[in-house]
Each structure stands twice: as C-alpha cells, then as structure tokens.
Amino acid sequence: MIEELEWTPNLVLVDDEQLVLSSLKSFLSLETDYKINTFLSAIEALDFIEKNDIDLVLSDYLMPEMDGITFLSKVRKFKPEIPRIILTGYADKENAIKAINEVGIFQYIEKPWDNDDILIIIRNGLEKQRLIKTLQMKIREIDKANSELDGLQNEIVKAFV
Amino acid sequence: MKPLKILYIEDDDSQRISFAKILRKNGYIVTAASSGKKGFKKFSKSPSDIILCDLNMPGIDGIQVVKKLKKENPQVICIVTSAHGSIKSAMKAIEHGAYDFITKPLHIEEFNSSLKRALEQKKLQEEIHDYASGLEEMVKKRTEKLNYANKQLTALNKLSNRLSKFRNEDELINIVPELLTKSLDFDRSLLLLENDGKLMLRSFYFLHDSKKMNKIVKRYIKEGNFPVIQPMPQCFKENRTIFKKNIKRIRSWEINSIVLSKRELPSSFVLTPIRVKNKPIGVLAGNLQYHPRELEHQDIVRFETFANIVGLSIDKIRGYHNLERKVKERTRSLHTVYIELKKKARQLEKTTIDLAEGNIQLLAVKEILEEKNEEMQDILSELSQRKNELQSLLDSSLSGILMVNTDGKIVAANQVFSEFFGVDAGKFIQKNIKEFNKKIRLKFAFPKLFNEKVRSFLKSEKDHSVHVDHAAMFRDALEVLKPVHRYLSLYSSIVHDRNDKIVGRVWAYTDITKEKESDEQVHAIIEVSPLPFVISRVYDDKILFANKPLADLLGYKVEDLVGKVAPDFYYTPEDREIVLTALKKDGFLKNFETQVITSTGEPIWMIFSLVITRIGSESAIVGALYDISEYKAALDKLALANIEIKEAQTQLVQSEKMASLGMLVAGVAHEINNPIGAVRSMHNTSMRAMEKLKTEFSKLVVNDTDVAKEAKRIFQIIDDANEVIDIGTEKVGLIVKQLKSFARLDEADLQKADIHEGIIQALMLSRHEMGNRIRVVKKFGDVPKIRCYPAKLNQLYLNMIINSIQAMPAKGTLTISSRLIGNNIHIKFADTGIGIPKDKLEKIFDPGYTTKGVGVGTGLGLSICYKIMQEHNGEIRVKSKLNKGTTFEIIIPTNLKV
C-alpha cells in the first residue's frame, strides 16, 4: 500500500504588476490552502525557487527584467520537474506553442484570465507534481528498505565470518 | 264523241297554266297537277283518258309517273313532254309505256297529232282486242303495221340523235336523204334548199334506181347547174305538207323531171317544207315508186317530224356556224387592227429616235462651236498676255538670255545678256548670230573646251544644263587678258512649235561664281563638324548634303542619305508641320526636339536648329542636329521613378500611420489588459468570498430575525452590484481582447483565419461611427478559413466599412455578404449611399486620392486596400451608381501561396 502524501503545495507567482499578483493570490487563498509566494521580480523569484522546495511556477510573459519564457527556461534548468505555467497578454498561439515546445511549459493562460480556468490548470499541474513527488517518495522508501536489507545482509555475513 | 279527259302534270306553274288553258280551248277536260304525287292523287280520284306529264320534275319524275300509272291502268294514254335534248329520258319513258314525247315548248298541233296517233293506236289495240278471235289475218296485218310504225318511230328517234351530232351543214344535207329513205322506208328522197328565191336540189338518195340515174343526178349537183324547180312548189309557198297517193302522172312542178316516174307504176309522194324558225328554207321530198306499201297518215306525220328534225339541226348548225364566222371575222379584224397599230407604233418610234438623234447631234455641234469660239478667244488673249509676260520675264531675269532660230538669227535677247557680253544685243535682233559673235569682247580662256560643249548641245537637239565650272579668262575692252575665276551656269533649251518642230534655241547664262564659292565654304565647315548636319532643298525636301556624324547616327552611309526626302525622317508627322510653320514665319527654328527615324525604323530623340538659306542657286534648309536620346531616356526614367517614389511615399505614410495606430491600439490594449484581468479575477474572488461569507453568516444568525433580514437585503445589494461589475468588466475584457486580436501586430506571417471573424471585429470597432443610422445586414455564406495576413485583411474590412458609413451621411443600409465561388471567396460591401461619379471611379485606387478632408477616415487609402489585395493575389472591384450606392467586391483566393 502506498500512503497518500500529506502535502501543502508551495507556489511561486511572478508578474511585474502588483494588481495581478494580488488578485491571483487572493483568489487562490480563498479557494485553496496552497502556500503562495509572489514576486514582482523574476530574478528574486529565481533565487527563491532555487533555495526552496517549490511545486509550481506561474509567470507573466511580458516583464522588464526578462520575459516569461526566458525566466521559465531558467527554472527548468535547475528544477526541471516543477510544472511551469505562463500568463500572457498576447493572443498569439504560435508564440505559445513555441514556448511550450522550447521551454516545456505545462500550460499557457491568456489574459484576462478566468478564475475557474486558472484553478483547474493549477490543480492539474499540482496533481502531476504530487504524483511525481509520491513516486519519488516511494523510490526513497524502496531505497531505504534496500539499504536496510543491505545492512542486514552485512550483519549476517559478519556473523558467519 | 264525248270530250277526252286529260291529267296534265307539270311542275312549272306558268307552263302548266298556259298550256292547260290551250287544251281546254281545244275541247279537252283538263285536270292539272304540279307534281307526280299530286297527279297520282288526282288520278285515283277521277281517272282520266290521257296523261300529259313532264319528264323532268323534282321528286317523282315523269318516268316514274308513267311507270306507275301505266302498270295500274294499261288503257291510259301517256304522253311525256321534255326539254329539247333530253330524248334519252324520253325514250326511257316510251319504254315504260309512254306513247309519245313532245319537245317543249308545247304546241297544241303537235299534241293533237300525237294524241291522234295515240288514239288510233288505242283504237287499233281495241280493234285487235275486239277482232282477236276471228280475224287473225287482220290482227297479223295490224300488228305488222304497228311494228312497222314502231320501227319507224324508233328509227326516227335514232335519226334525230344522229342528225343532232352534225356540225357541218353539207355533211348533214348529204346524209339526210339516205337516212330518210332507209328509216322511213321510201324509195327516193330529195333535199332541196332555197337559194335566191329558187329551190335547188342539194342531195338525194335513190334506193332502187339504176346507177346511171344516180350518176346523172350526182353530176348535176356537183356542177351546180342542176335545174331549179320552177315554179316554187306549193308546199314551200304555203309552208305545209303535200301528200299525193297513187298518182299515175306527175306534174312537172310537183317534182321536177329528174324525179321521173319511170314507168307507169302508181307513185306516191310526200313533199314537206324544211323549216327553220317556222320559215321554210327548203323542201324534203319522199317518193314511193317501187314499194308495195301505201303511205298512211302516220308516214306523213313521221315525214314531217323528220323534216322538222332536219330543220332544227340545220338551224343549229347555221347558228353555230354563224357564231363561229362572226367570232372569226371579229378576231381577224381585231388582228388586222392590232398589226396596223403595231406597225404605226414602230414607225413612230423610229421617227422619234431619228428626231432625237438629229437634235442631239445639232446640240453637240452647237456646243463644240461655242467651245471652239471660247477657246479661240482664250487663246488670243492668252497669246497677247504671253507675249507681254515673255518680255517682262526676259527683262526681269537675272540670267542672260538669248534666243536664236534655226536659221541662226537672233530672235530675242535681254539686257543682262547684253551686259554680260558687253554688247547691245538688241541691235542684233533678226541678225545672224555669227555677226554678234564677232563683236563680243568676252573670250574664254579655254574656248575650245567651251565650244565643244556648246556644239555638243547643238547636235543633240535636247535641253541641257551645265555648270561650266572651270577657270575662265576674260579680256577687257582693251583686249588685255585678265585671269578671273568664273563659274558659269549655262542652260540651253530647244524651242518647239506646236507641231513639235524645232524652231530655235534659247541660251541662258548665269554667273554663279559667288554662290559656288560660298557653297564650298559651307560644305567644308559642315564636313569637318563633329556635330550632325544636314542640308535639304526647300522645294522638294530632298537632302542635298549630309555629313558623316549624321549618317552614323541614323545608321546610313552619306551617299544613301543624299537624295532622300527629309519629311520621311519625322517620327511624328505633326512635328514636321510645326517646323515648317516656324521656318515660314521666322526663317529659322531653334532647339526643336523631335524623334527621328533611323535605318532600323527605331526612332531616336534629337534636338535641332534649322535655318533657311541659299545654297547655290536654290533655297535650302541647313540643320544642325544633336542626339538627345539618352537624355530623354534618363528623363523618362526619372519621371517614372518620381511617380513610383510618390506612390511608395504615400503608401509608406499610410502604412506608417496604420502601423503606429496599430501599435497604439495594441499598447493601450495591453496596458488595459493587466488591470482588467486583475479586476475581473479579483472581483470573482470577492464574489466567491461573499458566497462563503453568506454560508458562514447563516450558520451564526437565526433566520427571520431582523439582523438576518437586514443582512439578506444588504447581500442582495452586493449581489446586484457584483452582477453589474461582472457584466461591465466582461465587456471591457472582450473589447480589449478584440482590439488586440484586430491589431494582431505580432502576426505579420501568413496564417489561417476566419474572414467572418475579422469582419465582425471591424464592425465592432466602427460601431461608434455607425450609431443608429446605419442598418447592417450580414449575409455570410459558408466559406472556409483561408491562409492570409489577417491583420491586413482586418484593416481592409475596417476601411471598407468606414468608407460605406461615410458614403451614407443620412440613414442607410450596409449589406456585407460572402460567398465561395470556385476557389475564391467573394466579399461584398454594398451601401445605399451617395455613390461615386463615373469619372472618379477610375481614380479611387490611386495613391493619395481622397474625397475626404485631411484627418477624416482611418488614414487607409483605397490604394492600401488595393495593395493588400495584391498581396493576397486577390482583386478588388467597385460598382457605383450616383445616389443609389456603391458596392465594393473583394475576391480572395482560398489557396494563397507566397
């Protein structure tokens, strides 16, 4: 039996506009118990993601320091398993598809967004993350069991010798 | 004897009434009936002894009447009446039991005699019936008699038929006696006809007489000297039948001596007149000489009947012949008249033609005479004029002129000539040229050469012109030789009289030294000039001289150019006229530009200056030319480039405008996008929070309390407010979305798009302009998405819509329709506006063309629309009717490839 993962997802939201961050954070806080970390600066966000255990990243496309695609591609470099969502003001599917292909984006959301849409997308992303995490946990447990077995074996060998 | 009862059946009323009257007068009791049917009725009521019945009746005809009555009442006597010529039916009636037939019109005598016979017959029959038992012999005899009579009657009838067929009187007359003899059983028959008050024998038939007898009589008739019967027999005179029985002796007047009673046999004869229209025209005679039988009353009646038939037949023939003759005579006289008329007409015609010809000839002669006279007058006046002219010509000529006749005598000479040779030539008129030659002081340096030339002219008897352009030496008055270069132009011309006979020779000398020298200078200058030069003669436009640069330029050789006609080189004939006009007016023309045709036929641009001058003895045009084709080409290119630049500039400005507008729209949209996104999201959040609050609140507060009620009211207000905010922000969001989508600045690339979506967006953006006055009708067909530049097409749609709106200042309807035809999508924007005038319709796609003031509209000219359609390999068309509206049609291929 695999135990259910008791887990509070940790999210990072990045947008150069406080309005967007506030509204998203308010909405998610109301509807979920996720831990929400908001950043106006992509660079600060990168630093935070590197140092913390993060389950999902949502970023705006058009930002002054670096655009959303660049930012998310950097995230992928050191935390490839984290689902990445991009929020874009351009109704440009071609660019979005390009981004998904190049940077491996989980989903893109058009501005202005629909709260329900965004909630579902985030949940789906987290579900994927949860499965990955559970898998990792199971692997760790097996590894632990395996090493325990290894220890026992060593003790048995010692006893015989 | 008691009176006889007659039933008279006749359909013709007048006939019936009149003849019935006659019958009654003659002592008969008459019952009349108008038809067969009525006749039957009357007969059955009161039987009559005699039936007199018309043959030809409607309904029951005479034959049927006879048939029926005779069958039922054999004792009844039936007599039928018939029109002439219907003997056949009469015979039929007789066959059916009728006793006799009487030809119409009816005569009582005829009827009486017929009736008499009938009664006799009846009586006989009765007698036969009475004496049948004991008197066989008698019966036999009677029967024979009856048969005989019957036979004769039948024969008579046949005869009548036969005679009626004759058309020739002589033939008829010839056959009558034979027929009479045979059919009525006579021995001899004669036919005599009255002629000039005498009776002549015309034909006869002797049955039993000798051949000799026949011959004699025939001869008499043939020779025409047959003795006439004298005096006229009684029968002819009295117009009645004479009948003699058993006479022993014949009186000469009764039958002429030729009808001799040869022997002393008893002889009977009948003489009866042949009547035409009841007048006797001759006599028919019958004689029984050898026959054993006796003539009876019936024989006489038959004889008379026969004579009557003959008379009728003759009458008919004569009538016919008379008519025929008349017609012939008339035809003949008409023909004669016609021929005469024709002849006269022909003569008349001939006379008329002769007269006309004579007249024409006279006129022609007159005309010729008049003409000749006029000519003579003209010639005379012309001659005197010529004489004067000639003298003034001679006097005014710049050349020295001498005229010599064939005898060598000087006929005329002018002043110049005298001066030229230093002798008064007038003094030598009518004197020999040799005397003149002796006196002249002019001596040629090379007299031999000169004289040879002159002599050769004289020999040839032709006109000559020559420039004697060698150096000549002139001696002055003191006989001192002075070497002078002189150029002489010598012209010699033969003088002919009107018969082409040579009567003399004219000499004209001109000193052309000066001209010659200046020409040479001009030629030399032109020859060495690097610029193209040309000299052409004025009077025939021929090129006299051209230099090499010109020849090279035009692609000819110099020799080829000389002799050609200058106007042939003008590419634009009108330019030639301009040049001539200018030269006539000013004598020169400067810097004229025109195209000149080269040897290949290609025109090249040249600039030239021309001046009229004298070259030699002639007026000529000297022209200096310069090739400016390259310059022209450059100029054309420049003009073209200029146009292109202008076009490009306009488009650039328009594109720039549009681009910056797009940028602005996009920027604004983006700027609005974030806040509106945040607001919508946050509003949604707050609504969700509100719902949660409500749930929590309801757990805390008991229902139906004041607090609960107040809370509920406030919640309702919040809900209403939220709804408004929700709808409002949604709308703003949508507009922003559409703005972004419309500008599509990021979509320069070709991609699939729905044209209807673009049109709807364009309509949305122009809604403000439309207000309520424009009704929009969308008739979108089923069209596929197409590969295109959506942003550009959107611009185009917007422009179309804005144009339409502006074309409808008052109310109007804009109909936008789309349709797939083949591989193309056709989109129509049809307005009901003011329309575009025809002359402007062509210009509307030109860059920069606008009817609107600056700043009106979107800044997109129709030329940009045109360009956009070009980029889509599409087409844009326009149709317009003033005050009715304009329709723009856009055709975009569905399979665009770039």
Side-chain angles (χ1 to χ4, degrees), chain B residues 45-69:
Chain B
K45 250 189 203 166
S46 157
S48 42
D49 306 301
I50 300 142
I51 312 289
L52 181 61
C53 180
D54 187 28
L55 264 183
N56 189 22
M57 287 189 297
I60 300 166
D61 64 11
I63 293 170
Q64 284 170 287
V65 170
V66 170
K67 213 171 157 185
K68 188 170 186 254
L69 287 177

Side-chain angles (χ1 to χ4, degrees), chain B residues 751-800:
Chain B
Q751 55 183 272
K752 282 219 162 187
D754 182 348
I755 60 148
H756 294 155
E757 219 168 75
I759 293 168
I760 290 166
Q761 281 166 7
L763 279 171
M764 190 83 90
L765 284 174
S766 51
R767 212 166 57 185
H768 173 69
E769 301 257 351
M770 277 188 228
N772 285 328
R773 69 193 163 92
I774 310 289
R775 198 165 71 92
V776 177
V777 179
K778 284 175 277 189
K779 290 182 181 169
F780 290 164
D782 189 14
V783 301
K785 285 188 173 183
I786 50 165
R787 274 170 68 77
C788 60
Y789 302 101
K792 286 179 176 175
L793 282 186
N794 287 349
Q795 285 172 19
L796 184 135
Y797 304 145
L798 184 64
N799 195 61
M800 290 288 136

Side-chain angles (χ1 to χ4, degrees), chain B residues 447-597:
Chain B
K448 248 190 186 170
L449 198 68
F450 183 77
N451 284 340
E452 267 170 28
K453 259 188 184 165
V454 170
R455 239 174 259 134
S456 71
F457 294 175
L458 289 173
K459 273 182 200 160
S460 71
E461 294 188 351
K462 276 182 189 163
D463 294 352
H464 286 281
S465 171
V466 71
H467 291 284
V468 186
D469 53 354
H470 53 270
M473 301 285 273
F474 283 81
R475 292 168 198 267
D476 64 8
L478 301 171
E479 300 279 308
V480 177
L481 269 177
K482 277 186 186 165
V484 189
H485 248 94
R486 275 286 184 245
Y487 291 98
L488 288 185
S489 169
L490 179 58
Y491 182 78
S492 167
S493 164
I494 301 286
V495 181
H496 298 270
D497 69 1
R498 67 161 80 191
N499 298 321
D500 263 0
K501 207 180 130 198
I502 296 168
V503 292
R505 186 174 277 275
V506 174
W507 300 91
Y509 298 88
T510 315
D511 186 347
I512 54 163
T513 312
K514 261 189 192 166
E515 287 90 334
K516 205 66 185 171
E517 280 170 1
S518 84
D519 285 2
E520 272 171 8
Q521 284 164 7
V522 168
H523 284 204
I525 291 165
I526 288 172
E527 195 80 65
V528 298
S529 163
L531 279 179
F533 267 101
V534 68
I535 298 170
S536 68
R537 196 147 54 191
V538 170
Y539 87 86
D540 61 359
D541 288 319
K542 271 195 179 155
I543 292 172
L544 295 174
F545 185 82
N547 64 357
K548 196 160 185 299
L550 181 70
D552 289 349
L553 188 65
L554 297 181
Y556 287 99
K557 284 181 179 171
V558 173
E559 311 90 85
D560 296 339
L561 274 179
V562 173
K564 281 199 165 36
V565 186
D568 289 351
F569 289 91
Y570 281 86
Y571 186 68
T572 320
E574 292 79 22
D575 281 359
R576 161 83 181 157
E577 297 305 316
I578 296 166
V579 166
L580 282 184
T581 313
L583 285 176
K584 263 186 203 160
K585 195 178 155 224
D586 305 324
F588 65 88
L589 175 69
K590 274 185 181 169
N591 298 336
F592 187 75
E593 287 179 16
T594 190
Q595 278 171 294
V596 175
I597 303 167

Side-chain angles (χ1 to χ4, degrees), chain A residues 15-17 19-20 22-24 26-27 30-31 60 62 89-92 94 110-113 115-116 119, chain B residues 670-671 673-682 684-686 688-689 692 733 737 740 746-747 749-751:
Chain A
D15 197 310
D16 59 330
E17 195 126 9
L19 268 172
V20 177
S22 306
S23 58
L24 282 175
S26 300
F27 170 63
L30 182 72
E31 292 296 328
D60 186 27
L62 204 70
Y90 286 83
D92 183 352
E94 278 191 34
E110 268 184 62
K111 277 186 190 175
W113 65 92
N115 275 347
D116 284 327
L119 189 60
Chain B
H670 185 72
E671 287 308 313
N673 203 29
N674 268 341
I676 201 67
V679 167
R680 267 189 74 63
S681 169
M682 206 54 169
N684 181 266
T685 308
S686 79
R688 286 167 191 261
K692 286 195 177 171
K737 210 169 172 182
K740 286 194 304 168
D746 49 328
E747 295 175 22
D749 293 344
L750 208 56
Q751 55 183 272

Side-chain angles (χ1 to χ4, degrees), chain B residues 5 7 41 79 97 151 175 383 432 605 698 772 819 854:
Chain B
K5 273 176 86 178
L7 175 59
K41 248 186 197 169
I79 297 173
K151 197 179 111 199
I175 202 87
L383 268 177
N432 200 296
W605 275 101
S698 63
N772 285 328
R819 210 143 72 94
V854 180

Side-chain angles (χ1 to χ4, degrees), chain B residues 416-425 436 439-442:
Chain B
V416 181
F417 183 83
S418 302
E419 282 165 14
F420 192 75
F421 286 97
V423 177
D424 185 0
F436 173 75
K439 288 283 176 186
I440 58 168
R441 290 197 295 272
L442 173 77

